[in-house]
Amino acid sequence: MKILKKIFVFFLIVSTVFIFSLNPEKALVNVRADDEDFEGNYDYYCELCTTKTSLTDEEKKICLRFKEYEEQRQQALKELLDEAKGNLDEMKQNILKEGQKIDAYNKQIASLNVQIEAITVSITKIEENIQQLTVQIEERQLKIDELNTAIKNRMQANQMNVVTNSYIKFIMGANSFIDLLRRISAVSEITNYDLDKIETMNHEKELLQADVDQLQTQKDNLAEQQSQLETQKAGLQSLKTITEELIAEFQKKEAEFMEEMDKIQKDYSELDKKIDQINRAINELYPSKDFGQFFKYTSFYVSTPCYFYPSGGFHGAVDLAVAIGTTVYPIANGVVVDTGTGCPYNGGYYGNTCNWGRGNYIFYFVQINEDYYFIQYDHLKDVNVYIGDIVYQGQTAMGTTGNSGNSSGPHLHFAITYLGNTSTTTPNQILQDFRRYDNTFGLSYRIDNACYRKGYAPCFENPMEIYGYYYPNYYWVGA
């Protein structure tokens, strides 16, 4: 029995070697045509089963098996995508709720700002009144001091007169009855003058006290208003803190959110129809010499930097805050490979999934010298180009900026992906990769895929470094 087994093994080895010697490639296919071999030699079987015109019977069997393998892969991918969509929908709902909370808090903050502004105006007016009252009090005090001084001087004079009997001498020195009456009247007038001064002084004191009371009332009102202001500020600060925490949480999730959305398959039938046209157009393009401007005669500021959100999380683009309706131009000569429309141009909010959250968008390929780049313009208002259109640096009015999709305000989401150069890739390979991986080219949204970290294509370029921009500065673009 053992001898028979050895003979069987011997003939199996000999027959295998014999087949391999006749056709090594065919032998390899026959022996290793399984899922593991398909996965390890995917490009070989793709070429065998899609480009070779005449197949042997054995090769036809292998290609049928490979077709089954592809169908199984597609089914597994579909199941993964369905699961991812389910997770994504749940995350979208959470983000939408956070966005609604942020919107509500923003409205409350706006209302509080109006109240605080009104209180600030009232405080300013009260402070002006206090200053005026202070001046009036000082003036009245000066008058009172003057009255006190005058009365004291007069009383001292009268006392001296009484002591020296000059007052009596003055009265008794009259040379006639009429003169006596005149002298007595004069003394009475002097006394009445003193009494009037005293009465005036008392009146001034009453006015002073009234002003002091009024000042104290206004001070009390001011203190109460200040207390209300502090309470309002404390509430406002609390709401701001909550809002910032919500935004920070959203921004941490946004990278994962965008990555999941980019994994969703889309219909590239229009692209398939024009892929040969696009391929020819790219080959016929005259390469640009450098990166050009995306706006003309426009001011904007960097609202979110590239690679990192201010509160954390990866951001593979730069956000440029700019007015709605600003025309966007291609940064280099290129070809449009995808567009998205139909989203409200000023209806953006956190969690909005219109066109996978990108809103109205334009994707295009460009060539600069010998390098290829993939460019993304998201959250647009208008899209004026179509798949297959050739666009020219700084000349083609591709569309206008907006606030569409997963957007918190008017801005341009501007992303640059480096795809390699003419010695490492071809336009056809770029288009195939674009279709295979959607617009990600197989890149996940993390810092390791930044060009300065990864070092080779494909990778995320930093537009801020290319154009010399800094966060959160303002800039002006001319012609």
Side-chain angles (χ1 to χ4, degrees), residues 277-288:
Q277 173 190 345
I278 294 172
N279 193 17
R280 287 193 300 271
I282 293 177
N283 283 314
E284 294 171 2
L285 273 179
Y286 184 79
S288 299

Side-chain angles (χ1 to χ4, degrees), residues 451-464:
C451 288
Y452 83 95
R453 292 277 290 268
K454 187 177 180 184
Y456 59 90
C459 59
F460 297 115
E461 288 282 7
N462 186 345
M464 296 173 62

Side-chain angles (χ1 to χ4, degrees), residues 56-68:
T56 66
D57 291 341
E58 292 296 326
E59 288 173 337
K60 289 179 181 178
K61 292 179 181 179
I62 294 299
C63 286
L64 286 173
R65 179 72 185 90
F66 181 66
K67 180 183 178 182
E68 293 176 0

Side-chain angles (χ1 to χ4, degrees), residues 200-218:
T200 300
M201 182 182 68
N202 287 330
H203 182 64
E204 292 290 343
K205 282 185 177 181
E206 291 174 359
L207 291 176
L208 174 62
Q209 187 60 49
D211 288 340
V212 169
D213 293 342
Q214 182 180 358
L215 177 63
Q216 187 60 49
T217 300
Q218 293 196 10

Side-chain angles (χ1 to χ4, degrees), residues 240-258:
K240 279 187 175 180
T241 301
I242 293 173
T243 304
E244 289 168 356
E245 290 175 355
L246 288 171
I247 292 175
E249 185 65 24
F250 168 76
Q251 289 179 336
K252 289 177 181 178
K253 292 181 180 179
E254 187 170 26
E256 179 184 354
F257 177 63
M258 295 299 294

Side-chain angles (χ1 to χ4, degrees), residues 115-125 225 229 233:
Q115 297 178 41
I116 289 173
E117 180 64 25
I119 291 174
T120 302
V121 171
S122 298
I123 289 174
T124 301
K125 290 181 178 179
Q225 298 234 9
L229 178 62
K233 281 186 176 180

